[in-house]
Amino acid sequence: MARHLLSCCSPILPRTNCIVSSLLQCRSHQVTCVAGMSVWEKDKKAGYGKPSDVPTTKMVKDGVKMIGSEMGLFCHEMKEKFACDRLIHIEHGDYEYVWKFHDRDSVEDWVVTADRDNGEGHSQAHFTFSKNNTGLFHGHLSQQVPKDGIVKRTGYCNIRSPTKFMSFKRPENHDWTPFTHLLMRVRGDGRSYMVTLGVDRFFDIGWHDQYHFPLFTRGGPYWQTAKIPFSKFYVTSKGRIQDKQEPVPLENISNLSISIGDGNEGPFYLEIDAIAIMFDESHDELFAYETYEADPAHVNT
């Protein structure tokens, strides 16, 4: 499955949901044409979003009340920006914690989803604070397909990191440019999980681009530290691996998620102590996959 770019509509075109190659008759203008039609995708959540029930007046009132505290936060951000730069003193072996699950608040901010939340299955998932002072991703993966005549395959559960905000509720992406590896201290059940890095693209043609790499757990009572190079992550769009691969834009990471969908019925658990990023100067690989040049008319079609 590939992304399609049409050259008959505009210089910059969105990703298409469908391409119709047929005779289209426009009655209002009495014009007929034979061409590919590009369908604009206006919803970043691809139809899975839910409308907000908060009235506009209430949103305005709440926003006015927040001006004082948000201005204080903005001043603190400006002072921090001019006072320090973390890139100056980074050396081999240095690492930085991004998420540490050592209290309940750090766990409750994460977003938990499963196929049953969207009416596409019967799996259940939870992300709770364990008695070991860690985050515990657990639940039951179900392969039972709903009898709706639409869903053909099912069975997935996912947790996603919370959105990072600056002052005035402006979303802020993570900048991991100087680092080379993702570190995860986990204790699993022997099943395979998927680590996903989300990015925040400007045009809708890249809204659903994500970068993936599997996380293999050992099982048993022992902890393991997974050290995953960023160069090993591969790009997908709407879950489909793209023909033309590219390195992860580490300066534009919007979120990290962990999912399970290995096709095996039954319970699962993944205990997470912390997630960090690390710099390894001995890792000189820029990208692990082919980045060959090809005819744009034949790639991703």
PDB file of all heavy atoms in Angstrom, residues 13 17 20 24 40 47-48 52 58 81 117-118 127 147 185 232 238 248 258 296:
ATOM      1  N   LEU A  13      -0.384  18.397  -2.780  1.00  0.00           N
ATOM      2  CA  LEU A  13      -1.621  17.626  -2.711  1.00  0.00           C
ATOM      3  C   LEU A  13      -1.651  16.744  -1.490  1.00  0.00           C
ATOM      4  O   LEU A  13      -0.631  16.200  -1.092  1.00  0.00           O
ATOM      5  CB  LEU A  13      -1.747  16.742  -3.965  1.00  0.00           C
ATOM      6  CG  LEU A  13      -1.950  17.538  -5.256  1.00  0.00           C
ATOM      7  CD1 LEU A  13      -1.746  16.626  -6.444  1.00  0.00           C
ATOM      8  CD2 LEU A  13      -3.336  18.144  -5.296  1.00  0.00           C
ATOM      9  N   ASN A  17      -7.667   9.299   0.265  1.00  0.00           N
ATOM     10  CA  ASN A  17      -8.369   8.166   0.847  1.00  0.00           C
ATOM     11  C   ASN A  17      -8.751   7.179  -0.236  1.00  0.00           C
ATOM     12  O   ASN A  17      -8.812   5.980  -0.014  1.00  0.00           O
ATOM     13  CB  ASN A  17      -9.627   8.641   1.575  1.00  0.00           C
ATOM     14  CG  ASN A  17      -9.308   9.321   2.882  1.00  0.00           C
ATOM     15  OD1 ASN A  17      -8.288   9.020   3.469  1.00  0.00           O
ATOM     16  ND2 ASN A  17     -10.169  10.228   3.317  1.00  0.00           N
ATOM     17  N   VAL A  20     -10.490   7.589  -7.744  1.00  0.00           N
ATOM     18  CA  VAL A  20     -11.539   7.128  -8.643  1.00  0.00           C
ATOM     19  C   VAL A  20     -11.136   7.482 -10.054  1.00  0.00           C
ATOM     20  O   VAL A  20     -10.953   8.666 -10.375  1.00  0.00           O
ATOM     21  CB  VAL A  20     -12.884   7.788  -8.283  1.00  0.00           C
ATOM     22  CG1 VAL A  20     -13.980   7.283  -9.219  1.00  0.00           C
ATOM     23  CG2 VAL A  20     -13.232   7.505  -6.847  1.00  0.00           C
ATOM     24  N   LEU A  24     -16.405  11.594 -14.785  1.00  0.00           N
ATOM     25  CA  LEU A  24     -17.117  12.393 -13.798  1.00  0.00           C
ATOM     26  C   LEU A  24     -17.832  13.541 -14.517  1.00  0.00           C
ATOM     27  O   LEU A  24     -17.210  14.300 -15.253  1.00  0.00           O
ATOM     28  CB  LEU A  24     -16.136  12.953 -12.761  1.00  0.00           C
ATOM     29  CG  LEU A  24     -15.296  11.907 -12.022  1.00  0.00           C
ATOM     30  CD1 LEU A  24     -14.324  12.608 -11.075  1.00  0.00           C
ATOM     31  CD2 LEU A  24     -16.188  10.958 -11.260  1.00  0.00           C
ATOM     32  N   TRP A  40      -9.647  15.331   0.002  1.00  0.00           N
ATOM     33  CA  TRP A  40      -8.949  15.996   1.097  1.00  0.00           C
ATOM     34  C   TRP A  40      -9.322  15.352   2.415  1.00  0.00           C
ATOM     35  O   TRP A  40     -10.485  15.065   2.689  1.00  0.00           O
ATOM     36  CB  TRP A  40      -9.318  17.474   1.114  1.00  0.00           C
ATOM     37  CG  TRP A  40      -8.734  18.227   2.273  1.00  0.00           C
ATOM     38  CD1 TRP A  40      -7.432  18.213   2.677  1.00  0.00           C
ATOM     39  CD2 TRP A  40      -9.420  19.089   3.175  1.00  0.00           C
ATOM     40  NE1 TRP A  40      -7.248  19.020   3.769  1.00  0.00           N
ATOM     41  CE2 TRP A  40      -8.469  19.576   4.100  1.00  0.00           C
ATOM     42  CE3 TRP A  40     -10.743  19.508   3.296  1.00  0.00           C
ATOM     43  CZ2 TRP A  40      -8.801  20.448   5.118  1.00  0.00           C
ATOM     44  CZ3 TRP A  40     -11.063  20.386   4.312  1.00  0.00           C
ATOM     45  CH2 TRP A  40     -10.100  20.844   5.218  1.00  0.00           C
ATOM     46  N   GLY A  47     -11.531   9.841  11.532  1.00  0.00           N
ATOM     47  CA  GLY A  47     -12.867   9.364  11.838  1.00  0.00           C
ATOM     48  C   GLY A  47     -13.040   8.762  13.210  1.00  0.00           C
ATOM     49  O   GLY A  47     -14.157   8.398  13.592  1.00  0.00           O
ATOM     50  N   TYR A  48     -11.956   8.635  13.980  1.00  0.00           N
ATOM     51  CA  TYR A  48     -12.040   8.036  15.311  1.00  0.00           C
ATOM     52  C   TYR A  48     -12.215   9.082  16.410  1.00  0.00           C
ATOM     53  O   TYR A  48     -12.300   8.741  17.576  1.00  0.00           O
ATOM     54  CB  TYR A  48     -10.781   7.213  15.609  1.00  0.00           C
ATOM     55  CG  TYR A  48     -10.727   5.912  14.842  1.00  0.00           C
ATOM     56  CD1 TYR A  48     -10.057   5.834  13.625  1.00  0.00           C
ATOM     57  CD2 TYR A  48     -11.338   4.775  15.333  1.00  0.00           C
ATOM     58  CE1 TYR A  48     -10.001   4.640  12.918  1.00  0.00           C
ATOM     59  CE2 TYR A  48     -11.294   3.577  14.637  1.00  0.00           C
ATOM     60  CZ  TYR A  48     -10.627   3.519  13.431  1.00  0.00           C
ATOM     61  OH  TYR A  48     -10.571   2.345  12.742  1.00  0.00           O
ATOM     62  N   SER A  52     -16.609  17.469  20.890  1.00  0.00           N
ATOM     63  CA  SER A  52     -16.553  18.055  22.223  1.00  0.00           C
ATOM     64  C   SER A  52     -17.916  18.627  22.600  1.00  0.00           C
ATOM     65  O   SER A  52     -18.584  19.275  21.785  1.00  0.00           O
ATOM     66  CB  SER A  52     -15.490  19.148  22.273  1.00  0.00           C
ATOM     67  OG  SER A  52     -15.505  19.792  23.525  1.00  0.00           O
ATOM     68  N   LYS A  58     -18.133  28.703  27.621  1.00  0.00           N
ATOM     69  CA  LYS A  58     -17.396  28.158  28.771  1.00  0.00           C
ATOM     70  C   LYS A  58     -15.912  28.065  28.464  1.00  0.00           C
ATOM     71  O   LYS A  58     -15.057  28.308  29.328  1.00  0.00           O
ATOM     72  CB  LYS A  58     -17.945  26.789  29.159  1.00  0.00           C
ATOM     73  CG  LYS A  58     -17.327  26.219  30.441  1.00  0.00           C
ATOM     74  CD  LYS A  58     -17.951  24.889  30.792  1.00  0.00           C
ATOM     75  CE  LYS A  58     -17.446  24.392  32.145  1.00  0.00           C
ATOM     76  NZ  LYS A  58     -15.976  24.342  32.223  1.00  0.00           N
ATOM     77  N   LYS A  81      15.132  29.091  28.417  1.00  0.00           N
ATOM     78  CA  LYS A  81      15.658  29.015  27.052  1.00  0.00           C
ATOM     79  C   LYS A  81      16.979  29.757  26.913  1.00  0.00           C
ATOM     80  O   LYS A  81      17.898  29.289  26.240  1.00  0.00           O
ATOM     81  CB  LYS A  81      14.623  29.582  26.075  1.00  0.00           C
ATOM     82  CG  LYS A  81      15.067  29.545  24.624  1.00  0.00           C
ATOM     83  CD  LYS A  81      13.975  30.047  23.698  1.00  0.00           C
ATOM     84  CE  LYS A  81      14.411  29.973  22.256  1.00  0.00           C
ATOM     85  NZ  LYS A  81      13.347  30.468  21.329  1.00  0.00           N
ATOM     86  N   ASP A 117     -12.863  -0.177  22.037  1.00  0.00           N
ATOM     87  CA  ASP A 117     -13.214   1.236  22.202  1.00  0.00           C
ATOM     88  C   ASP A 117     -13.802   1.826  20.935  1.00  0.00           C
ATOM     89  O   ASP A 117     -14.545   2.821  20.991  1.00  0.00           O
ATOM     90  CB  ASP A 117     -11.985   2.042  22.619  1.00  0.00           C
ATOM     91  CG  ASP A 117     -11.429   1.598  23.963  1.00  0.00           C
ATOM     92  OD1 ASP A 117     -12.233   1.156  24.803  1.00  0.00           O
ATOM     93  OD2 ASP A 117     -10.203   1.671  24.156  1.00  0.00           O
ATOM     94  N   ASN A 118     -13.465   1.243  19.795  1.00  0.00           N
ATOM     95  CA  ASN A 118     -13.956   1.735  18.508  1.00  0.00           C
ATOM     96  C   ASN A 118     -14.953   0.780  17.872  1.00  0.00           C
ATOM     97  O   ASN A 118     -15.253   0.912  16.678  1.00  0.00           O
ATOM     98  CB  ASN A 118     -12.778   1.963  17.558  1.00  0.00           C
ATOM     99  CG  ASN A 118     -11.775   2.952  18.107  1.00  0.00           C
ATOM    100  OD1 ASN A 118     -12.154   4.034  18.542  1.00  0.00           O
ATOM    101  ND2 ASN A 118     -10.507   2.585  18.109  1.00  0.00           N
ATOM    102  N   PHE A 127      -3.633   0.522  31.868  1.00  0.00           N
ATOM    103  CA  PHE A 127      -2.288   0.982  32.217  1.00  0.00           C
ATOM    104  C   PHE A 127      -2.370   1.534  33.633  1.00  0.00           C
ATOM    105  O   PHE A 127      -2.918   2.612  33.857  1.00  0.00           O
ATOM    106  CB  PHE A 127      -1.789   2.037  31.233  1.00  0.00           C
ATOM    107  CG  PHE A 127      -0.327   2.348  31.367  1.00  0.00           C
ATOM    108  CD1 PHE A 127       0.607   1.332  31.519  1.00  0.00           C
ATOM    109  CD2 PHE A 127       0.133   3.655  31.344  1.00  0.00           C
ATOM    110  CE1 PHE A 127       1.964   1.614  31.642  1.00  0.00           C
ATOM    111  CE2 PHE A 127       1.479   3.955  31.462  1.00  0.00           C
ATOM    112  CZ  PHE A 127       2.396   2.920  31.620  1.00  0.00           C
ATOM    113  N   LYS A 147     -19.426  -9.329  14.561  1.00  0.00           N
ATOM    114  CA  LYS A 147     -20.290  -9.809  13.476  1.00  0.00           C
ATOM    115  C   LYS A 147     -21.043  -8.640  12.854  1.00  0.00           C
ATOM    116  O   LYS A 147     -22.278  -8.562  12.894  1.00  0.00           O
ATOM    117  CB  LYS A 147     -21.264 -10.855  14.016  1.00  0.00           C
ATOM    118  CG  LYS A 147     -20.580 -12.102  14.574  1.00  0.00           C
ATOM    119  CD  LYS A 147     -21.583 -13.108  15.098  1.00  0.00           C
ATOM    120  CE  LYS A 147     -20.876 -14.339  15.656  1.00  0.00           C
ATOM    121  NZ  LYS A 147     -21.836 -15.345  16.188  1.00  0.00           N
ATOM    122  N   ARG A 185      13.473   0.237  30.073  1.00  0.00           N
ATOM    123  CA  ARG A 185      13.648  -0.777  31.110  1.00  0.00           C
ATOM    124  C   ARG A 185      12.282  -1.408  31.373  1.00  0.00           C
ATOM    125  O   ARG A 185      11.379  -0.768  31.929  1.00  0.00           O
ATOM    126  CB  ARG A 185      14.224  -0.184  32.387  1.00  0.00           C
ATOM    127  CG  ARG A 185      14.599  -1.239  33.435  1.00  0.00           C
ATOM    128  CD  ARG A 185      15.367  -0.627  34.593  1.00  0.00           C
ATOM    129  NE  ARG A 185      15.834  -1.660  35.501  1.00  0.00           N
ATOM    130  CZ  ARG A 185      15.166  -2.060  36.595  1.00  0.00           C
ATOM    131  NH1 ARG A 185      14.021  -1.476  36.920  1.00  0.00           N
ATOM    132  NH2 ARG A 185      15.660  -3.011  37.354  1.00  0.00           N
ATOM    133  N   LYS A 232      16.982   2.217  13.202  1.00  0.00           N
ATOM    134  CA  LYS A 232      16.290   0.972  12.860  1.00  0.00           C
ATOM    135  C   LYS A 232      14.786   1.158  12.671  1.00  0.00           C
ATOM    136  O   LYS A 232      14.110   0.240  12.191  1.00  0.00           O
ATOM    137  CB  LYS A 232      16.517  -0.067  13.964  1.00  0.00           C
ATOM    138  CG  LYS A 232      17.978  -0.426  14.209  1.00  0.00           C
ATOM    139  CD  LYS A 232      18.599  -1.148  13.041  1.00  0.00           C
ATOM    140  CE  LYS A 232      20.020  -1.599  13.385  1.00  0.00           C
ATOM    141  NZ  LYS A 232      20.689  -2.263  12.230  1.00  0.00           N
ATOM    142  N   LYS A 238      -0.783   4.921   8.099  1.00  0.00           N
ATOM    143  CA  LYS A 238      -2.027   4.210   8.417  1.00  0.00           C
ATOM    144  C   LYS A 238      -1.771   2.718   8.581  1.00  0.00           C
ATOM    145  O   LYS A 238      -2.575   1.877   8.170  1.00  0.00           O
ATOM    146  CB  LYS A 238      -3.089   4.464   7.351  1.00  0.00           C
ATOM    147  CG  LYS A 238      -3.522   5.908   7.268  1.00  0.00           C
ATOM    148  CD  LYS A 238      -4.661   6.117   6.297  1.00  0.00           C
ATOM    149  CE  LYS A 238      -5.088   7.566   6.279  1.00  0.00           C
ATOM    150  NZ  LYS A 238      -6.196   7.822   5.333  1.00  0.00           N
ATOM    151  N   VAL A 248      14.068   8.806  10.978  1.00  0.00           N
ATOM    152  CA  VAL A 248      13.132   9.434  11.902  1.00  0.00           C
ATOM    153  C   VAL A 248      13.503  10.909  12.081  1.00  0.00           C
ATOM    154  O   VAL A 248      14.670  11.224  12.357  1.00  0.00           O
ATOM    155  CB  VAL A 248      13.167   8.725  13.273  1.00  0.00           C
ATOM    156  CG1 VAL A 248      12.180   9.384  14.233  1.00  0.00           C
ATOM    157  CG2 VAL A 248      12.865   7.244  13.117  1.00  0.00           C
ATOM    158  N   ILE A 258       3.121   2.227  22.722  1.00  0.00           N
ATOM    159  CA  ILE A 258       3.462   0.802  22.782  1.00  0.00           C
ATOM    160  C   ILE A 258       2.188   0.018  22.546  1.00  0.00           C
ATOM    161  O   ILE A 258       1.169   0.264  23.208  1.00  0.00           O
ATOM    162  CB  ILE A 258       4.075   0.426  24.137  1.00  0.00           C
ATOM    163  CG1 ILE A 258       5.313   1.288  24.415  1.00  0.00           C
ATOM    164  CG2 ILE A 258       4.442  -1.048  24.181  1.00  0.00           C
ATOM    165  CD1 ILE A 258       5.866   1.110  25.822  1.00  0.00           C
ATOM    166  N   PRO A 296       9.927   8.907  -9.550  1.00  0.00           N
ATOM    167  CA  PRO A 296       8.769   9.216  -8.694  1.00  0.00           C
ATOM    168  C   PRO A 296       7.449   8.672  -9.233  1.00  0.00           C
ATOM    169  O   PRO A 296       6.513   8.468  -8.462  1.00  0.00           O
ATOM    170  CB  PRO A 296       8.760  10.756  -8.674  1.00  0.00           C
ATOM    171  CG  PRO A 296      10.138  11.155  -9.035  1.00  0.00           C
ATOM    172  CD  PRO A 296      10.649  10.089  -9.968  1.00  0.00           C
TER     173      PRO A 296
END
